[in-house]
């Protein structure tokens, strides 16, 4: 209980001659002014779009109402396979097994929960009509040839010319091994796989559009090196398709970006060079193309302790010496950037190797401005699912042109025991509502809307979207 000090004199401030102003009154007046300014800025922002926003939000809510009703998960950890002797238990008490332990244990009795077998695979060429266009996060996903899709750490490009989507990613259809005892699990570079689709569900394999170098050990793309997170954007001025990727050596000491270019979305892409952007180490990265055609490179740097953002040159083949450091000291990686109603958003993961961790959403009024963290975007599943990004890691956020303001969160569920068997987690993402962390900025009055990723074992896009395909 707080006691009042009866001997303390009231705090006052001199305002005008012969008057005294209470300090609390002054503080509350200041707070009121800030609140009015904040409300004015929100109203002014909304006025720029007029009634169109309200109409869109009503329409959007109607279409996504079903997807926002998330599913819960109740997964029971099985009892240990063998009993420990009392002497052994006393000597070294065993830590309780967690769901994350079960996820990482390739012999776990729950393995089928995280990595369902091929009997449950998504088969667009065979599935009956009542199962068409449904996504099953974590299941094997087959292409039109009946083979598992190999597009890990990837990104998706919508090509206006062909009116198709192109999904690029790491083609990991090889054995998993470790270069040495303490090295991370890896697969030799095979190349960048490309898949095309008109409906985002039925994917045709277009081949390896950027292949590994088999013989020249000095080449960046020699099979013994690392190629990760390829992203492709189209340059309207040059008519070229430009690919950026993370290239590294087996020990992750090169820490560079690589650039390749093609005249066609299906390649082949010609590899140009690698470099350390702005003179800094670069690992997990992505490319974001803004509405005005300016493209940006976003990458983890300084041993993954911060992110860097910088524009590319007009031809997208290099970058000027312009860069902004963001999320300094927060140790975030796997950036996935998107834009909604003039605000830039980004999903990132923590740095825990192949193990899953908690995603965070961030927002900024300018891509080169100050980025604020607005909380964990994951909704549904259970507490562990939300703290592990549904046992996956972000790689891309895909806007849906036919459903403005609607997105698909694209993530990888890594399988470090067998990387070619890593799975895809695609889930609906929306922007709206109060952010999780309003006190982190702006005197407690949040500027940002909440980013929400909804967990579903089985879901599909609204019929209106698929019917237009």
């Amino acid at each position: 209980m707080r006691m009042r000090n009866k001997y303390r004199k009231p705090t006052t401030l001199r305002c005008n001659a012969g008057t005294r102003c209470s300090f609390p009154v002054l503080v509350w007046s200041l707070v009121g002014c800030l609140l009015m300014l904040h409300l004015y800025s929100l109203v002014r922002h909304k006025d720029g779009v007029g009634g169109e926003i309200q109409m869109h939000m009503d329409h959007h809510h109607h279409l996504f109402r079903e997807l926002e009703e998330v599913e819960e998960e109740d997964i029971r950890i099985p009892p240990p396979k063998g009993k420990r002797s009392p002497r052994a238990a006393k000597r070294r008490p065993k830590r309780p097994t967690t769901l994350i332990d079960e996820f990482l244990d390739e012999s776990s009795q729950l393995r089928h929960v995280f990595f369902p077998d091929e009997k449950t695979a998504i088969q667009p060429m065979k599935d009956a009509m009542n199962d068409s266009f449904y996504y099953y996060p974590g299941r094997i996903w087959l292409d039109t040839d009946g083979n598992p899709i190999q597009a890990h750490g990837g990104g998706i490009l919508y090509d206006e010319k062909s009116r198709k989507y192109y999904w690029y990613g790491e083609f990991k259809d090889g054995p998993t091994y470790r270069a040495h005892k303490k090295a991370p699990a890896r697969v030799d570079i095979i190349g960048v796989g490309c898949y095309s689709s008109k409906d985002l569900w039925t994917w045709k394999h277009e081949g390896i559009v950027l292949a590994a170098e088999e013989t020249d050990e000095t080449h960046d793309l020699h099979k013994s090196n690392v190629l990760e997170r390829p992203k492709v954007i189209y340059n309207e001025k040059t008519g070229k398709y430009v690919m950026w990727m993370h290239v590294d050596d087996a020990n992750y000491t090169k820490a560079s970006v690589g650039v390749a270019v093609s005249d066609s979305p299906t390649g082949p892409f010609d590899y140009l060079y690698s470099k350390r952007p702005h003179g800094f180490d670069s690992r997990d990265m992505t490319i974001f193309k803004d509405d005005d055609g300016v493209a940006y490179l976003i990458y983890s740097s300084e041993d993954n302790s911060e992110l860097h953002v910088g524009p590319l040159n007009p031809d997208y083949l290099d970058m000027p010496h312009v860069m902004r450091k963001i999320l300094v000291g927060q140790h975030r990686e796997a950036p996935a950037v998107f834009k909604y109603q003039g605000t830039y958003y980004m999903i990132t993961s923590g740095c825990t190797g192949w193990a899953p961790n908690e995603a965070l959403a961030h927002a900024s009024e300018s891509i080169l401005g100050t980025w604020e963290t607005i909380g964990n975007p994951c909704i549904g599943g259970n507490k562990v699912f939300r703290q592990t990004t549904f046992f996956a890691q972000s790689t891309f956020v895909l806007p849906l042109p036919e459903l403005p303001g609607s997105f698909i969160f694209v993530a990888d569920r890594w399988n470090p025991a067998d990387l070619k068997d890593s799975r895809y987690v695609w889930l609906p993402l929306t922007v709206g509502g109060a952010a999780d962390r309003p006190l982190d900025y702006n005197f407690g009055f949040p500027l940002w809307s909440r980013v929400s990723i909804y967990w579903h074992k089985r879901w599909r896009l609204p019929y209106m979207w698929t019917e237009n395909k």
Side-chain angles (χ1 to χ4, degrees):
M1 180 176 176
R2 185 174 179 180
M3 302 296 294
R4 181 179 178 184
N5 185 351
K6 64 180 180 180
Y7 299 105
R8 185 181 172 206
K9 294 182 180 180
T11 303
T12 60
L13 294 174
R14 297 282 181 184
C15 294
N16 296 315
T19 65
R20 294 160 70 87
C21 291
S22 169
F23 182 71
V25 170
L26 187 61
V27 170
W28 282 110
S29 298
L30 180 60
V31 170
C33 290
L34 290 172
L35 179 58
M36 292 300 293
L37 286 172
H38 174 70
L39 291 175
Y40 172 73
S41 66
L42 291 180
V43 171
R44 186 178 61 178
H45 174 70
K46 290 182 179 179
D47 283 346
V49 201
E52 184 180 346
I53 290 181
Q54 184 61 43
M55 215 165 84
H56 162 68
M57 291 304 292
D58 291 343
H59 186 56
H60 172 275
H61 180 70
H62 172 71
L63 290 172
F64 272 77
R65 187 178 301 152
E66 181 179 327
L67 297 180
E68 292 174 359
E69 295 175 1
V70 295
E71 301 174 38
E72 298 297 323
E73 297 284 351
D74 184 16
I75 300 176
R76 307 290 178 131
I77 297 178
K81 295 179 181 179
K83 292 185 178 180
R84 306 176 75 219
S85 68
R87 182 177 297 177
K90 185 177 181 180
R91 183 170 58 249
R92 183 177 293 178
K94 189 175 181 181
R95 178 178 61 85
T97 302
T98 67
L99 268 182
I100 297 178
D101 295 328
E102 296 289 344
F103 172 81
L104 295 172
D105 181 3
E106 57 186 300
S107 62
S108 167
Q109 299 176 59
L110 295 177
R111 192 69 175 171
H112 67 284
V113 174
F114 305 111
F115 299 97
D117 62 26
E118 62 276 2
K119 295 178 182 179
T120 66
I122 304 171
Q123 304 185 58
M125 305 308 292
K126 292 183 179 180
D127 283 343
M129 288 302 295
N130 62 354
D131 213 29
S132 294
F133 300 107
Y134 276 97
Y135 298 102
Y136 291 86
R139 289 191 185 184
I140 295 172
W141 195 348
L142 304 182
D143 62 20
T144 55
D145 294 327
N147 300 314
I149 294 173
Q150 293 287 336
H152 308 285
I156 298 170
L157 167 74
Y158 180 72
D159 182 52
E160 296 285 353
K161 293 181 179 180
S162 60
R163 299 185 66 185
K164 290 182 180 179
Y165 290 92
Y166 292 91
W167 183 4
Y168 304 89
E170 305 159 30
F171 201 89
K172 288 186 174 294
D173 195 17
T176 299
Y177 71 97
R178 297 178 186 272
H180 52 82
K181 187 175 181 180
K182 294 185 178 181
R186 61 164 284 130
V187 170
D188 280 349
I189 297 179
I190 297 174
V192 176
C194 174
Y195 297 81
S196 65
S197 175
K198 288 193 173 183
D199 58 22
L200 292 175
W201 189 71
T202 307
W203 293 95
K204 175 187 176 183
H205 186 211
E206 299 287 354
I208 305 295
V209 296
L210 179 65
E213 168 59 43
E214 292 288 334
T215 57
D216 183 1
E217 295 184 2
T218 65
H219 197 283
D220 287 343
L221 303 186
H222 184 261
K223 62 183 181 180
S224 63
N225 290 327
V226 170
L227 187 164
E228 295 177 339
R229 298 186 174 270
K231 304 293 187 291
V232 175
I233 53 177
Y234 178 69
N235 191 306
E236 285 82 3
K237 295 179 180 178
T238 64
K240 301 288 187 180
Y241 296 85
V242 183
M243 179 188 297
W244 285 70
M245 70 212 84
H246 168 208
V247 295
D248 226 317
D249 53 35
N251 295 318
Y252 285 85
T253 58
K254 185 179 178 66
S256 300
V257 291
V259 185
V261 65
S262 174
D263 294 324
S264 166
T266 56
F269 280 78
D270 296 321
Y271 186 75
L272 302 181
Y273 68 94
S274 69
K275 69 183 293 184
R276 284 195 163 191
H278 311 110
F280 288 90
D281 60 298
S282 170
R283 292 183 174 85
D284 278 9
M285 47 67 64
T286 193
I287 294 291
F288 174 75
K289 182 179 175 182
D290 210 341
D291 304 329
D292 59 3
V294 178
Y296 297 85
L297 171 68
I298 302 97
Y299 59 97
S300 296
S301 192
E302 298 287 34
D303 293 324
N304 291 341
S305 67
E306 61 193 38
L307 290 174
H308 294 177
V309 184
L312 302 183
N313 287 348
D315 60 8
Y316 301 167
L317 300 180
D318 204 342
M319 69 201 74
H321 296 289
V322 177
M323 182 268 287
R324 172 74 183 245
K325 296 183 178 183
I326 63 173
L327 306 182
V328 176
Q330 297 189 34
H331 297 274
R332 308 303 296 174
E333 63 178 13
V337 179
F338 62 104
K339 188 177 183 181
Y340 178 59
Q341 292 185 354
T343 298
Y344 299 87
Y345 294 92
M346 176 167 54
I347 309 292
T348 65
S349 84
C351 302
T352 54
W354 296 117
N357 58 64
E358 182 181 32
L360 289 177
H362 317 271
S364 177
E365 291 182 327
S366 167
I367 195 167
L368 292 175
T370 301
W371 286 77
E372 302 282 0
T373 300
I374 56 177
N376 183 337
C378 300
I379 298 177
N382 59 37
K383 183 177 180 181
V384 179
F385 268 57
R386 293 187 291 274
Q387 290 178 342
T388 58
T389 319
F390 311 117
F391 293 93
Q393 185 183 40
S394 52
T395 185
F396 197 75
V397 173
L398 174 65
L400 301 173
E402 290 86 350
L403 294 173
S406 306
F407 305 86
I408 296 178
F409 173 68
V410 180
D412 294 283
R413 179 173 290 176
W414 298 112
N415 181 357
D418 186 10
L419 286 169
K420 71 174 180 293
D421 191 40
S422 297
R423 309 297 175 84
Y424 309 103
V425 173
W426 287 32
L427 291 168
L429 181 152
T430 62
V431 180
D436 284 355
R437 299 188 178 184
L439 296 179
D440 286 355
Y441 47 85
N442 201 35
F443 297 95
F445 305 119
L447 283 173
W448 321 119
S449 297
R450 176 183 167 81
V451 175
S452 301
I453 302 170
Y454 300 96
W455 170 250
H456 294 276
K457 292 181 181 178
R458 176 180 185 265
W459 71 282
R460 61 171 289 166
L461 290 167
Y463 284 98
M464 178 189 127
W465 194 87
T466 53
E467 286 172 355
N468 290 336
K469 295 292 105 185

